[in-house]
């Protein structure tokens, strides 16, 4: 695991995992996100791409939109984003544009992750905003949700959906 974590990080990530479970119950890819502001106000949601017929309805995008709308400001300074799967290019771009300073994610995404797996958009020195990353918090719990979802979707054939290992699963 990279980055510094505390007890609050584990609690917020557990809430993101609860959101991921809700996504799975709705036949959505089980990804959950929680965006926490400086006063402790939290926005939580999960993937809803199938439900909304919207390819941008990722958990991260939904909480970023909700927080920006609520605050009346597109800049989400002093917020931390907790997400159960490493953000994709779209979500990483939104994180940078919203100026979110810290992202904590559980499982890496070797096929689409843009916070270190494929590339690292959120820490690219060419951009005017860079993000502190914490990777691997409760990784195995998230990876198990993802594996179980994709095994069930393939009718019980395990093709190694979430190719993750390691991480920190307990405080």
């Amino acid at each position: 695991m990279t980055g510094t974590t505390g007890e609050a990080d584990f609690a917020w990530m557990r809430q993101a995992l609860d959101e991921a479970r809700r996504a799975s119950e709705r036949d959505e890819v089980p990804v959950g996100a929680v965006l926490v502001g400086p006063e402790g106000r939290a926005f939580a949601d999960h993937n809803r791409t199938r439900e909304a017929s919207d390819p941008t309805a990722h958990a991260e995008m939904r909480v970023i939109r909700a927080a920006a709308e609520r605050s009346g400001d597109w800049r989400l300074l002093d917020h931390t984003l907790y997400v159960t799967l490493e953000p994709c290019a779209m979500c990483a771009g939104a994180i940078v544009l919203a100026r979110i300073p810290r992202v904590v994610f559980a499982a890496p995404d070797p096929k689409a992750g843009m916070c270190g797996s494929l590339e690292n958009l959120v820490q690219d020195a060419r951009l005017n905003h860079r993000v502190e990353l914490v990777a691997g918090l409760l990784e195995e719990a998230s990876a198990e949700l993802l594996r179980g979802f994709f095994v069930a979707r393939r009718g019980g054939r395990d093709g190694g959906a979430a190719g993750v290992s390691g991480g920190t699963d307990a405080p």
Side-chain angles (χ1 to χ4, degrees):
M1 184 172 70
T2 60
T4 305
T5 59
E7 283 297 317
D9 291 324
F10 283 93
W12 292 120
M13 186 60 78
R14 285 186 198 99
Q15 186 173 343
L17 284 164
D18 288 343
E19 287 293 330
R21 288 182 194 95
R22 286 184 189 94
S24 185
E25 290 166 3
R26 294 173 165 210
D27 200 31
E28 298 276 1
V29 175
V31 177
V34 178
L35 184 62
V36 182
E39 311 83 32
R41 180 179 187 86
F43 297 86
D45 212 333
H46 52 271
N47 276 6
R48 294 178 189 257
T49 55
R50 293 172 59 104
E51 175 184 322
S53 296
D54 179 358
T56 70
H58 290 194
E60 302 95 306
M61 298 296 288
R62 293 184 57 80
V63 297
I64 289 169
R65 284 184 187 127
E69 183 177 316
R70 177 64 186 223
S71 71
D73 193 348
W74 58 270
R75 288 178 233 88
L76 299 174
L77 306 172
D78 301 322
H79 284 67
T80 297
L81 176 65
Y82 298 88
V83 61
T84 59
L85 183 65
E86 179 182 359
C88 70
M90 174 184 65
C91 295
I95 290 163
V96 170
L97 292 172
R99 309 295 195 267
I100 296 170
R102 185 169 184 257
V103 173
V104 181
F105 70 85
D109 185 347
K111 294 183 178 181
M114 291 299 286
C115 293
S117 289
L118 291 179
E119 293 289 338
N120 192 343
L121 181 63
V122 299
Q123 293 183 327
D124 191 308
R126 297 169 293 180
L127 299 177
N128 65 339
H129 175 73
R130 282 170 289 293
V131 174
E132 173 193 346
L133 281 177
V134 177
L137 186 68
L138 299 178
E139 178 180 332
E140 189 52 42
S142 177
E144 184 56 39
L145 269 174
L146 288 159
R147 276 191 295 268
F149 176 82
F150 287 110
V151 165
R153 183 167 272 187
R154 286 189 299 271
R157 298 181 322 264
D158 185 2
V164 295
S165 62
T168 301
D169 281 336

